Amino acid sequence: MSVTVEQVLAALSGVKDPATGREIVADQVSDVRVDAAGEATFRIDLISPGFPLRDALEASVRAALAARNLRGTIEWGLKVPQKPARQDLNRLPTVKNILAVAAGKGGVGKSTVSVNVAMALHRFGAKVALLDADIYGPSVPKMLGTPERETSTTLAGDRISPALYRGIPVMSVAFFVEPGNAVVWRGPMIHKLLKQFLEDVDWGDIDYLIVDLPPGTGDAQLSLAQLIPITGSIMVTTPQEVALIDVRRAVNMFDKLEVPVVGVVENMSYYVCPSCGHHDAIFASGGGAALARELGVELLGQVPIDNKVSYGGESGVPVVEGAPASEQAKALSDVAARAALALSKLSATGPKRSSLLRTVT
């Protein structure tokens, strides 16, 4: 039987991406070829790294081919959608998506989530950068260990080259402050620093810029929302109600700034005894899931408490790299994949311009 490229495309024409509902032949299928035996090979670009719905998409593709007595080999690729252009916020034109990682209060593991999400997306094949915007408590460099490259000026001398950790560009105020010294700055100074980190740093072509925000609802959050089009945010909490109270305040702030909250991460969800396997809900249970339902967003993951996570942060080897087969690493990798998919779904429409976000020069 003679098989043509046109027949393969016709067979795939009715297949839709399960995440977006759009036909994949429009912009996700490419490089279709057929060998002498009538076997087709083609590339499908997924819209997000670690695409959680890949099995469903593959099943639809194979069913569509089988319905026309065709066979095919899929070569999987990645094409992350570009965030909508914003003329009023034209900074970071080479960054496709900006994901803010936030928390209502400190001590819930927000920086741990930021670092591990960035590393997980990088391991999935995305181009990732990490901005440590926690001005008063910058901990990202400590969690990443020794850089492959320190911060420097570019060859032209007019921009800043970010530090590089395992292939991930990173910027943090910790690079410019002596260890142990406090950053005692008011809002205008914070705004100026963040603006410099965004405008003067040569980030390069990036699929995802992960921004580790300070806890609470302060100057850094407002400045970033004024300066850049944040694609979406995720909220990190622990299960107990005292943590959820503060998260609700942070969500209210993002709602006023018209930054979409795409999901909730419940950290320190439970402890599993290594000897008997007993699950103990040390910090109560169910809070993250209840908050996600309340907000109408996805519960991106529940990360169990374990010393692998804390050791990874102390040693500079995050758990997704140091213990990739662990339950904690798998949970954090799932958080990364689900958050990235949520951002891709949002990429077709941009947030409106909030009245709180006056033009900043």
Side-chain angles (χ1 to χ4, degrees):
M1 175 182 171
S2 177
V3 178
T4 66
V5 169
E6 288 72 21
Q7 287 175 316
V8 175
L9 289 172
L12 298 176
S13 63
V15 177
K16 296 181 179 180
D17 188 304
T20 64
R22 299 175 182 171
E23 292 190 355
I24 62 172
V25 292
D27 56 8
Q28 291 177 252
V29 176
S30 63
D31 195 20
V32 182
R33 52 202 185 274
V34 180
D35 63 19
E39 183 80 20
T41 301
F42 50 89
R43 174 188 172 102
I44 298 179
D45 286 317
L46 300 173
I47 63 170
S48 65
F51 191 63
L53 305 176
R54 195 179 104 165
D55 288 347
L57 175 57
E58 182 173 356
S60 297
V61 168
R62 299 207 178 280
L65 292 174
R68 302 203 182 194
N69 295 316
L70 301 175
R71 300 186 306 274
T73 299
I74 304 171
E75 296 174 347
W76 297 103
L78 176 65
K79 186 163 63 177
V80 176
Q82 175 75 45
K83 69 181 187 299
R86 291 272 302 269
Q87 294 304 313
D88 55 342
L89 296 178
N90 59 0
R91 299 171 179 90
L92 300 180
T94 63
V95 176
K96 290 184 176 180
N97 293 280
I98 301 167
L99 175 64
V101 182
K105 62 184 297 180
V108 299
K110 170 187 55 61
S111 295
T112 296
V113 171
S114 297
V115 167
N116 281 281
V117 163
M119 289 207 65
L121 292 175
H122 180 68
R123 289 167 69 87
F124 285 143
K127 291 177 285 187
V128 183
L130 182 55
L131 172 58
D132 185 358
D134 195 345
I135 305 300
Y136 298 120
S139 54
V140 165
K142 168 67 175 175
M143 293 182 171
L144 288 170
T146 304
E148 303 161 22
R149 182 188 72 205
E150 302 278 358
T151 54
S152 62
T153 55
T154 58
L155 292 176
D158 58 344
R159 305 197 75 197
I160 302 170
S161 229
L164 198 67
Y165 292 82
R166 299 173 179 84
I168 299 176
V170 177
M171 280 301 296
S172 171
V173 71
F175 299 147
F176 308 101
V177 177
E178 288 295 324
N181 282 4
V183 178
V184 187
W185 290 350
R186 293 187 183 275
M189 288 291 291
I190 294 173
H191 183 90
K192 184 177 180 180
L193 176 72
L194 291 173
K195 186 178 180 183
Q196 185 174 17
F197 278 176
L198 298 169
E199 291 184 338
D200 297 343
V201 172
D202 184 13
W203 290 105
D205 292 324
I206 296 296
D207 292 322
Y208 300 97
L209 174 63
I210 310 300
V211 182
D212 181 31
L213 291 174
T217 56
D219 293 315
Q221 289 88 336
L222 179 57
S223 289
L224 283 167
Q226 289 174 319
L227 290 166
I228 53 177
I230 300 174
T231 315
S233 63
I234 60 177
M235 305 302 303
V236 182
T237 185
T238 48
Q240 70 269 45
E241 180 61 29
V242 69
L244 298 177
I245 292 171
D246 293 318
V247 172
R248 291 186 181 96
R249 295 191 183 102
V251 169
N252 180 258
M253 175 199 67
F254 280 121
D255 183 56
K256 290 179 178 177
L257 297 175
E258 295 177 0
V259 173
V261 175
V262 299
V264 172
V265 180
E266 185 182 86
N267 196 26
M268 308 181 207
S269 291
Y270 54 88
Y271 172 73
V272 181
C273 175
S275 299
C276 66
H278 172 69
H279 282 52
D280 191 358
I282 298 175
F283 300 115
S285 64
L291 179 63
R293 287 194 300 271
E294 177 185 322
L295 300 177
V297 299
E298 183 179 3
L299 178 64
L300 298 172
Q302 294 173 296
V303 184
I305 190 169
D306 190 276
N307 61 8
K308 294 185 187 71
V309 180
S310 58
Y311 175 76
E314 291 290 330
S315 65
V317 184
V319 68
V320 295
E321 179 183 355
S326 67
E327 190 173 353
Q328 293 74 26
K330 290 177 180 177
L332 287 162
S333 295
D334 286 345
V335 167
R338 290 168 181 160
L341 178 57
L343 295 186
S344 291
K345 290 179 180 180
L346 284 173
S347 67
T349 58
K352 297 178 291 183
R353 181 68 168 165
S354 171
S355 58
L356 292 178
L357 304 185
R358 60 189 179 281
T359 302
V360 179
T361 58

